[in-house]
Amino acid sequence: AVNRTDGPTAIVLTRQGLRIPERAPEVTDVARGGYVRVPGEDVVLVATGSEVPLAVAAAALATREGVSIRVVSMPSIEVFDRQDASYRASVLGSDLPVFTIEAGVTRGWLAVAARGGEPIGIDRFGASAPAGVLAEEFGFTPEAVFARIQESLNEAKEHG
């Protein structure tokens, strides 16, 4: 954002009490718009901002159940889309289901979710409660996210 001279930039902050990640991402990875935060072989789960720790927790839960989830942090879809095809494939894979998670509308993620994956989000407005209550209600817990992924994968196996 500091180095951008060819268009507008927004820096979005949160008031949520998020844990600082154990391993900070490389600046060069962030500058590419998306990067692999946690390696995985079976499924890709793309998140951004405050949803990244949720995706990491869901991936840890999945590992205990024998499913390997690749967590991708994607701070900018637009910047990621400008990367060469080989880099994008190295991040999202070329044959893995891609799910996205956004504690908001899914519209911006529809082009990212692919190959049997789906966007996980909230496509309505008007809920108000403490964050933990809303997370439970709308399925933004590691258990609920992993359950959605398993359900979708099971449906895909049944139909194809």
Side-chain angles (χ1 to χ4, degrees):
V2 173
N3 294 326
R4 184 163 184 194
T5 60
D6 62 346
T9 299
I11 297 176
V12 181
L13 307 173
T14 183
R15 295 180 294 169
Q16 294 170 285
L18 301 175
R19 293 176 37 189
I20 296 173
E22 293 176 18
R23 179 184 55 85
E26 297 292 326
V27 173
T28 53
D29 291 338
V30 175
R32 295 189 89 171
Y35 60 94
V36 176
R37 185 83 182 128
V38 175
E41 306 292 323
D42 300 324
V43 175
V44 178
L45 180 56
V46 181
T48 189
S50 60
E51 284 81 8
V52 174
L54 172 59
V56 170
L61 175 65
T63 298
R64 293 192 295 272
E65 298 294 325
V67 178
S68 177
I69 295 181
R70 176 184 305 174
V71 176
V72 170
S73 176
M74 192 170 291
S76 175
I77 296 170
E78 293 81 10
V79 172
F80 183 76
D81 283 346
R82 290 195 300 262
Q83 304 307 307
D84 60 73
S86 65
Y87 178 76
R88 291 192 317 266
S90 75
V91 173
L92 295 178
S94 56
D95 60 350
L96 300 176
V98 179
F99 292 80
T100 64
I101 184 164
E102 172 69 46
V105 296
T106 60
R107 181 181 55 225
W109 294 104
L110 294 174
V112 178
R115 298 184 296 273
E118 64 182 64
I120 300 169
I122 305 170
D123 288 315
R124 69 179 190 85
F125 179 76
S128 179
V133 172
L134 292 173
E136 287 287 334
E137 177 69 24
F138 289 105
F140 286 91
T141 64
E143 297 79 10
V145 169
F146 179 52
R148 279 282 295 274
I149 291 170
Q150 278 188 309
E151 180 182 315
S152 183
L153 294 175
N154 288 338
E155 287 177 10
K157 282 182 186 176
E158 290 174 8
H159 295 100

